[in-house]
Amino acid sequence: MNLALKDTLHAPTRFALTALGVAFLVMAVIGMTGLYRGIVEDALLIIDRIDADLWVVQGERAGPFAEGSAVSSDMDRRVEGVPGVANVRRFTQFSQQFSFAGASRRATVTGVDVPGDDGRWLPLAEGRWLGGSRYEAVADTSTGLKVGDRIQLARDVYTVVGLTRDMVDSAGDGLLFVGINDAAAIARRRTSEEIHLARAAGNGAAVTADASSVAQESKISAVLVRLNPAADAARVIAAMQRWGDVRVMTTGEQRDLMLNARLWKLRLQILTFTGMILLITAVVVSLIVYMMTVEKLHEIALLKLMGARESVVVGLIGQQAGLIGIAGYVLAIALASLVFPLFPRRVVMLPTDLGQIGLALALVCAAAAWVGIARASRISAREVLS
């Protein structure tokens, strides 16, 4: 006879509520871990997928993600002439508010160098990639746009020709891909009053709509470089670094800057909260098992009076703690699969993380069982008569 199972079936409502409470705690741990994974994955999407060996950014800067960067508009031509370079593309990225269907929306405009950038690194869910003509855009589904929608950015109207899925920046804003020249035009948007002030400052000289009272640098953030397979990356980097006005970074350095500079405090905070929730889970489960043991002290004393071995009592408490842990873990995964897809930020549940959380819960249940067993071991058979 399995005493733990019998005791569970004797009070199924209490066991179900207990398991549900543990499930919510475990789901919080899964959620915090998944949120951490999601933020890291979103932050590295462009860096990992854009297929670049080197990033040429503004000198003494750590751009274009961890820090602002602006290089000259003809930097790609200079880089193209360096021996060992196979392909170059201009790149820029910035946040943009725009109105659509009577509501204000936000996206991260990402300028790509079409037709040089064929978009093969993008997971298109619908439509097509940018063509050679201007005023086209490829939007992520999180922006709420659809193929065929027309939106106004700066002074021009853009037509959405394609959709991606799960392409967002580190802040969770959906990416909106446009041609590099279109992105530069959007970034240089100016109000009528600003143009008027620029004309006044220029003593009546002709000022276009792109001019400003503030000196405007190039809107190109970086030049992406793909190397020839036989090229020596160190030599190519050294050749460009000698120019003095640029900094050349590898993809690995970009990843390190994003994770350990821009996102370091956020990652540390999420991991700290995860540890706190795990500790709270350990305390709650230990308290539950201890109280269940205290409630059965009379029955445990009776078992000892009947000649039951100590292993029977150990099995009863240990198996009950295990049943609570297993039920809570299964419920947590089921609830997480239903709830987390509804969250505004992506929650990534990796099998390895779920396995580690399951192992941590098993250790917590073992520690809780030990607390209950320690209390039960102090009960003598004579106490059944008291």
Side-chain angles (χ1 to χ4, degrees):
M1 180 185 297
N2 191 311
L3 295 178
L5 186 59
K6 284 287 184 181
D7 186 66
T8 298
L9 296 176
H10 178 70
T13 303
R14 183 181 65 178
F15 176 80
L17 292 175
T18 301
L20 188 62
V22 173
F24 278 122
L25 288 170
V26 175
M27 187 174 72
V29 176
I30 295 174
M32 294 299 288
T33 305
L35 179 62
Y36 167 82
R37 294 292 187 191
I39 288 174
V40 169
E41 190 169 310
D42 290 344
L44 298 178
L45 270 176
I46 291 290
I47 297 174
D48 287 343
R49 293 190 183 184
I50 206 166
D51 190 22
D53 298 315
L54 302 176
W55 298 69
V56 181
V57 301
Q58 185 177 349
E60 299 183 356
R61 293 267 184 164
F65 303 108
E67 191 177 5
S69 170
V71 298
S72 61
S73 56
D74 63 347
M75 181 61 68
D76 56 322
R77 299 174 189 172
R78 293 169 58 187
V79 174
E80 210 168 19
V82 177
V85 172
N87 174 265
V88 297
R89 290 167 290 161
R90 293 170 294 170
F91 175 84
T92 191
Q93 190 176 71
F94 53 89
S95 297
Q96 176 78 17
Q97 293 282 140
F98 64 95
S99 296
F100 180 74
S104 179
R105 305 197 183 188
R106 181 181 178 86
T108 297
V109 175
T110 303
V112 289
D113 203 350
V114 291
D117 192 327
D118 57 9
R120 62 184 177 183
W121 53 276
L122 271 178
L124 278 178
E126 187 180 344
R128 61 173 175 82
W129 180 234
L130 300 173
S133 59
R134 295 187 60 181
Y135 311 124
E136 292 183 344
V138 172
D140 189 72
T141 52
S142 61
T143 61
L145 299 173
K146 298 179 181 178
V147 173
D149 286 342
R150 294 168 62 83
I151 56 173
Q152 182 166 350
L153 301 173
R155 291 177 175 81
D156 302 307
V157 176
Y158 292 77
T159 301
V160 177
V161 298
L163 293 177
T164 62
R165 184 172 286 112
D166 295 330
M167 291 296 292
V168 299
D169 66 359
S170 59
D173 295 328
L175 299 185
L176 184 70
F177 297 92
V178 297
I180 192 71
N181 295 325
D182 288 335
I186 295 169
R188 286 196 298 263
R189 70 193 187 281
R190 298 291 171 258
T191 64
S192 299
E193 182 62 22
E194 197 171 3
I195 295 171
H196 174 73
L197 292 173
R199 286 174 177 168
N203 297 320
V207 178
T208 66
D210 288 343
S212 169
S213 56
V214 179
Q216 297 296 306
E217 298 181 2
S218 167
K219 297 303 178 182
I220 307 303
S221 300
V223 173
L224 313 183
V225 180
R226 276 205 300 261
L227 299 175
N228 288 319
D232 185 344
R235 286 190 175 184
V236 175
I237 292 172
M240 288 187 283
Q241 294 273 51
R242 283 196 293 268
W243 297 343
D245 61 338
V246 298
R247 179 180 179 184
V248 185
M249 305 175 66
T250 64
T251 296
E253 289 173 331
Q254 286 287 359
R255 286 175 56 90
D256 183 68
L257 276 172
M258 179 62 79
L259 294 178
N260 299 321
R262 185 171 180 178
L263 296 179
W264 170 246
K265 290 184 179 180
L266 179 61
R267 292 170 60 213
L268 187 62
Q269 184 167 328
I270 291 176
L271 290 176
T272 302
F273 273 111
T274 303
M276 289 174 59
I277 295 173
L278 197 57
L279 181 62
I280 293 170
T281 303
V283 172
V284 170
V285 173
S286 299
L287 183 60
I288 289 171
V289 174
Y290 181 80
M291 293 305 299
M292 291 175 67
T293 304
V294 170
E295 290 175 359
K296 292 191 287 288
L297 289 180
H298 182 79
E299 288 80 0
I300 292 173
L302 183 60
L303 284 172
K304 291 185 176 181
L305 182 65
M306 294 169 59
R309 293 180 302 224
E310 193 72 24
S311 61
V312 174
V313 177
V314 171
L316 169 64
I317 298 172
Q319 289 170 18
Q320 276 196 328
L323 286 173
I324 291 172
I326 292 171
Y329 182 70
V330 172
L331 276 173
I333 293 178
L335 290 171
S337 300
L338 292 174
V339 174
F340 290 161
L342 305 177
F343 279 27
R345 289 300 302 261
R346 185 153 44 138
V347 179
V348 179
M349 296 190 298
L350 297 179
T352 52
D353 289 337
L354 293 178
Q356 291 174 357
I357 291 172
L359 179 60
L361 183 60
L363 294 176
V364 165
C365 291
W370 178 82
V371 172
I373 291 168
R375 179 66 181 90
S377 64
R378 297 197 296 269
I379 300 298
S380 63
R382 294 191 302 270
E383 292 188 29
V384 74
L385 304 175
S386 60

